[in-house]
């Protein structure tokens, strides 16, 4: 029932795990083109992790009530909200895909992040959804500082998303992370300002909003025990960073050479 506070040494280890998780996304990025299958993306991710000396946190991952997750990473295409399982269907122009990578270092530290990829020319609506979801993640990140509360993060994301006519998925959330994949706290992507857990230096958690073009309702695809889709089959997007609470603000840990440019309203990746 407690949120771990990371020591200076823990933070150094987390920086490495998170950079490596981000570098897996960099590695696969040039390959994400029309015609590639999500299984090929999975294989590239596995190849990169092997070169790094990391292992996938997702393969074989089995929370209570779930079958073991079969992928080295998650690939969630179009109306898939999250936890999409890599398969042999080629991506085509106009698709949008979230690739979510979590690695474990040799020292046992976890780094978790995801990005959206637009396949060829996408609809204006798809591009807007991805961009607004990215911005909502950063608005959430900008709330992070000692003395702020988790509800401030959720509120910032929800207000922005709903203000742009998008809906926030409620059933999945960000999470503490460190020597475990999912730790306390739960980081909801909706909420009321000034509510929830007080943020303290040394806390590390993910912020990973899932926003839908249509209604917020989701359902399980059913067949595989993992894949989550929008009930109305509308497009869904997600971006994820792992974030440290510093003495004065935040540090985004899942950064690397290939991380996308910051939104114009963000000044720094560490404050
Ligand atoms: N990486 C996801 C997250 O952000 C969790 C994926 S669990 C899996 O928390 F089993 F679906 F891979
Ligand atoms: Co996560
Ligand atoms: Co993730």
């Amino acid at each position: 029932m407690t949120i771990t506070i990371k020591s200076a040494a823990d933070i150094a280890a987390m920086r490495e795990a998170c950079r490596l998780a981000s570098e897996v996304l960099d590695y696969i990025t040039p390959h994400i083109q029309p015609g590639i299958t999500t299984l090929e993306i999975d294989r590239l991710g596995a190849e990169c992790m092997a070169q790094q000396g990391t292992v996938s946190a997702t393969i074989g991952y089995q929370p209570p009530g779930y079958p073991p997750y079969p992928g080295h990473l998650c690939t969630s295409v179009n109306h898939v909200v999250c936890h999409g399982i890599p398969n042999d269907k080629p991506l085509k122009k106009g698709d949008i895909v979230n690739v979510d990578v979590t690695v474990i270092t040799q020292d046992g530290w976890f780094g978790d992040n995801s990005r959206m990829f637009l396949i060829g020319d996408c609809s204006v609506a798809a591009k807007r959804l991805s961009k607004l979801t990215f911005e909502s993640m950063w608005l959430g990140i900008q709330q992070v500082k000692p003395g702020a509360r988790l509800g401030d993060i959720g509120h910032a994301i929800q207000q922005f998303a709903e203000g742009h006519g998008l809906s926030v998925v409620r059933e999945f959330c960000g999470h503490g992370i460190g020597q475990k994949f999912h730790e306390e706290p739960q980081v909801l992507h909706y909420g009321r300002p000034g509510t929830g857990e007080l943020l303290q230096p040394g806390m590390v958690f993910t912020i990973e909003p899932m926003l839908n073009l249509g209604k917020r309702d989701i359902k399980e695809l059913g067949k595989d025990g993992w894949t989550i889709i929008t009930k109305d089959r509308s497009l869904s997007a997600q971006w994820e960073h792992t974030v440290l609470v510093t003495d004065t603000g935040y540090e985004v840990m899942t950064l690397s050479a290939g991380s996308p440019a910051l939104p114009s309203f963000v000044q720094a990746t560490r404050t």
Side-chain angles (χ1 to χ4, degrees):
M1 270 296 287
T2 50
I3 304 174
T4 65
I5 299 295
K6 272 70 177 177
S7 70
D10 297 343
I11 289 166
M14 277 301 285
R15 279 197 190 104
E16 193 201 0
C18 289
R19 176 181 50 79
L20 291 166
S22 187
E23 285 176 358
V24 175
L25 290 171
D26 295 354
Y27 184 89
I28 64 175
T29 294
H31 301 279
I32 305 190
Q33 301 290 340
I36 193 172
T37 70
T38 50
L39 210 46
E40 286 164 346
I41 296 172
D42 187 82
R43 196 180 43 73
L44 287 163
E47 180 177 281
C48 180
M49 292 179 215
Q51 286 173 20
Q52 291 177 336
T54 62
V55 296
S56 162
T58 57
I59 194 153
Y61 182 58
Q62 187 173 21
Y66 283 79
Y69 184 80
H72 298 87
L73 43 74
C74 300
T75 50
S76 300
V77 180
N78 295 337
H79 63 289
V80 178
V81 174
C82 62
H83 304 165
I85 295 175
N87 63 30
D88 59 7
K89 189 173 163 208
L91 294 174
K92 57 183 194 310
K93 285 179 189 162
D95 286 340
I96 62 170
V97 57
N98 172 277
V99 181
D100 192 336
V101 169
T102 312
V103 301
I104 316 173
T105 61
Q106 278 158 13
D107 301 344
W109 294 89
F110 289 67
D112 186 7
N113 67 167
S114 79
R115 298 181 198 159
M116 291 301 295
F117 297 88
L118 306 172
I119 311 302
D121 292 323
C122 289
S123 68
V124 170
K127 285 188 279 195
R128 177 175 173 272
L129 174 66
S130 176
K131 180 170 190 277
L132 292 172
T133 306
F134 182 64
E135 290 176 354
S136 81
M137 172 186 69
W138 275 102
L139 285 169
I141 290 168
Q142 287 188 308
Q143 296 296 315
V144 174
K145 62 172 182 231
R149 291 183 180 271
L150 283 176
D152 298 332
I153 300 172
H155 177 74
I157 293 168
Q158 181 182 16
Q159 182 166 266
F160 179 77
E162 293 179 353
H164 286 86
L166 304 174
S167 62
V168 180
V169 172
R170 306 281 181 111
E171 290 82 354
F172 298 93
C173 56
H175 50 91
I177 183 166
Q179 286 172 298
K180 291 197 211 118
F181 195 166
H182 295 105
E183 300 181 349
E184 288 193 52
Q186 295 196 44
V187 182
L188 304 182
H189 303 115
Y190 60 93
R192 295 199 322 279
T195 66
E197 201 79 45
L198 201 55
L199 304 188
Q200 291 173 45
M203 290 180 177
V204 179
F205 49 79
T206 70
I207 299 178
E208 49 180 299
M210 282 145 273
L211 303 188
N212 301 344
L213 216 42
K215 296 204 170 73
R216 70 173 170 87
D217 308 72
I218 57 157
K219 62 177 194 175
E220 263 193 64
L221 190 58
K223 287 195 270 283
D224 59 34
W226 277 104
T227 307
I228 302 296
I229 63 172
T230 55
K231 208 170 164 191
D232 63 8
R233 302 287 208 278
S234 66
L235 290 179
S236 188
Q238 180 176 29
W239 288 82
E240 176 177 27
H241 270 310
T242 298
V243 180
L244 165 71
V245 184
T246 65
D247 289 338
T248 46
Y250 62 79
E251 176 181 324
V252 177
M253 307 191 92
T254 35
L255 290 171
S256 55
S259 295
L262 308 183
S264 56
F265 59 82
V266 180
Q267 309 308 324
T269 60
R270 185 184 201 290
T271 61

